[in-house]
Amino acid sequence: MSTNSFVFDASIEGHFQTQWQAPSNIALIKYWGKHGQQLPQNPSISFTLSQCVTTTKVSFSPREELNDKHFEFLFDQKKQSEFYPKIQLFMDRIMPYFPALEGHSLSISSQNSFPHSSGIASSASAMAAMALCIVDFERQFHSDWSMEASFQKASFLARLGSGSAARSISGPLMVWGQSDVFPQSNDHFAIAPSEEWHHIFHDYQDTVLIVDKGQKRVSSTVGHKLMQGHPFATQRIEQANTHLKQLKNALTSGDLELFIYLTEAEALSLHAMMMTSSPSFVLMQPNTLAILQKVWDYRAQTGLPLCFTLDAGANVHLLYPLKDRTPILDFIQKELVFHCQQGQYIEDQVGNGAKKI
Ligand code: PMV
């Protein structure tokens, strides 16, 4: 696919203000390993969430002087300089696709619905919200653009900020990375496949157990790099492709046994890759392992379809159908919250994607 269609119109100019809310997402098939400019080594699929969101307002104004500041960033109404390098990198990467950025200064104000230092990755929702605001600016000059075309561009730009951000645009499930089982899929932007997903997944629950609120011990940039020359890289890429094909069947048929098997296998494979890379990382903590064991025991005892997935960290995402929420939440509160840092957990569920505010 040529990326030329993603180069924006250089001549656009003016004042504009817009605000978007973009959701976080949780991968079921994990993206781990990249090449080129933020291109994935394997396809991934994620649930779009609905409660964990970033809301971002961007005001664009023509830059008077070229040495004027390019952007100013407020998080929770405060200047927070630790975010600057990541935003600067994002701006540098999107500049070739959005040359009008050169002539504008951006005033960006952002906030998350979830606690900032909860250990929940916020870069996906943050980059997606920013990308949606930028695309909205150009959209003013192209009233003929369909929403689908705008979302593709936003996903393309968001990807340049953070790979998984490409999937934080629509919902309820997003596929990013070329796969034969999803004909429209590609490495440049994520798609919301037109499949009829089984109804059980439309409002699937995700309760996020905060085991560790701290900074990630290994950044995802470092983590993806560890896949270069990894002894099991080829097998992992094959496995992710096979899992995606099988998971598509589970997601359309509602086969929860298969869904659980694949979701947990993917989470453990992701961590196995980190444990077997050089240098290696163990990101699960004793409380993570205690939770996983309790989830397996609970499932064996009750037959209820509770399963887990993990990000590149110690926190646990618990996935289950809405119809089983009452007994499962009771179990979480009585048995699992005890393993969370300060008893902290977040209740979320599958959602339908970003919206303009
Ligand atoms: O988007 P990044 O570069 O932060 O990578 C995210 C990687 C995982 O969260 C571990 C998996 C995924 O697909 O989201």
Side-chain angles (χ1 to χ4, degrees):
M1 175 185 285
S2 156
T3 55
N4 288 345
S5 59
F6 293 102
V7 178
F8 288 60
D9 194 338
S11 62
I12 63 173
E13 204 194 17
H15 291 270
F16 180 66
Q17 182 170 306
T18 185
Q19 188 172 10
W20 280 80
Q21 186 179 82
S24 187
N25 71 78
I26 178 67
L28 303 169
I29 303 293
K30 308 291 181 182
Y31 145 60
W32 199 238
K34 60 181 172 182
H35 64 99
Q37 201 178 32
Q38 302 273 93
L39 298 168
Q41 250 165 19
N42 64 266
S44 57
I45 186 167
S46 54
F47 274 144
T48 302
L49 298 180
S50 58
Q51 300 304 313
C52 291
V53 295
T54 299
T55 305
T56 297
K57 189 198 278 180
V58 182
S59 308
F60 300 81
S61 28
R63 252 163 114 198
E64 314 274 304
E65 305 274 336
L66 276 182
N67 51 2
D68 273 2
K69 260 197 265 141
H70 229 138
F71 69 89
E72 163 181 280
F73 180 74
L74 297 183
F75 184 78
D76 280 346
Q77 327 277 356
K78 290 187 237 43
K79 281 196 176 171
Q80 301 207 16
S81 51
E82 76 257 34
F83 294 112
Y84 280 46
K86 213 156 185 196
I87 299 173
Q88 186 61 57
L89 184 65
F90 175 60
M91 298 286 178
D92 293 346
R93 285 188 184 153
I94 67 171
M95 192 79 83
Y97 300 99
F98 189 54
L101 206 56
E102 186 64 43
H104 290 83
S105 73
L106 276 58
S107 171
I108 308 165
S109 173
S110 207
Q111 62 203 52
N112 289 343
S113 63
F114 46 102
H116 163 48
S117 55
S118 60
I120 301 274
S122 58
S123 57
S125 50
M127 293 297 168
M130 228 178 322
L132 284 155
C133 290
I134 288 168
V135 170
D136 206 20
F137 181 34
E138 207 204 5
R139 197 177 150 77
Q140 306 310 304
F141 300 86
H142 295 274
S143 50
D144 55 325
W145 276 10
S146 67
M147 212 51 203
E148 195 189 347
S150 303
F151 276 0
Q152 283 179 5
K153 278 204 173 196
S155 175
F156 178 92
L157 291 187
R159 187 201 95 223
L160 298 174
S162 168
S164 56
R167 300 187 310 241
S168 271
I169 303 288
S170 353
L173 282 139
M174 294 292 280
V175 171
W176 172 45
Q178 201 282 323
S179 159
D180 293 344
V181 289
F182 292 101
Q184 310 297 316
S185 62
N186 69 88
D187 288 350
H188 298 279
F189 56 86
I191 57 159
S194 54
E195 260 69 22
E196 272 288 322
W197 305 117
H198 191 276
H199 63 83
I200 201 157
F201 295 113
H202 290 187
D203 47 16
Y204 225 65
Q205 304 293 293
D206 178 3
T207 302
V208 194
L209 302 183
I210 312 298
V211 171
D212 186 1
K213 304 207 287 183
Q215 281 275 321
K216 288 204 233 170
R217 252 185 298 159
V218 52
S219 73
S220 49
T221 310
V222 171
H224 291 295
K225 274 210 186 105
L226 295 173
M227 286 301 283
Q228 286 164 16
H230 192 291
F232 306 130
T234 312
Q235 294 90 330
R236 167 61 197 149
I237 294 166
E238 253 172 53
Q239 182 195 46
N241 277 282
T242 309
H243 279 172
L244 182 60
K245 189 174 182 175
Q246 295 169 331
L247 187 63
K248 182 184 174 189
N249 290 335
L251 290 166
T252 47
S253 67
D255 181 344
L256 289 186
E257 208 175 308
L258 183 59
F259 172 81
I260 289 170
Y261 165 73
L262 293 166
T263 301
E264 293 188 349
E266 274 292 307
L268 296 175
S269 265
L270 169 71
H271 281 258
M273 288 301 108
M274 288 183 269
M275 287 191 230
T276 50
S277 56
S278 173
S280 54
F281 292 93
V282 180
L283 300 183
M284 286 188 273
Q285 291 181 6
N287 277 321
T288 314
L289 293 173
I291 292 167
L292 303 197
Q293 189 58 54
K294 285 188 178 177
V295 167
W296 285 324
D297 293 346
Y298 179 77
R299 201 161 72 224
Q301 282 156 16
T302 62
L304 291 176
L306 171 66
C307 72
F308 65 82
T309 186
L310 305 162
D311 261 338
N315 298 334
V316 183
H317 287 248
L318 293 175
L319 304 177
Y320 51 95
L322 176 61
K323 69 178 175 51
D324 298 316
R325 187 167 184 265
T326 306
I328 290 178
L329 255 189
D330 189 53
F331 163 68
I332 291 172
Q333 281 155 357
K334 290 200 175 117
E335 298 286 336
L336 304 184
V337 165
F338 156 78
H339 296 287
C340 299
Q341 202 171 348
Q342 293 163 339
Q344 207 178 338
Y345 69 98
I346 297 172
E347 285 180 62
D348 209 334
Q349 70 167 32
V350 169
N352 287 316
K355 43 182 189 263
K356 186 167 172 156
I357 306 281

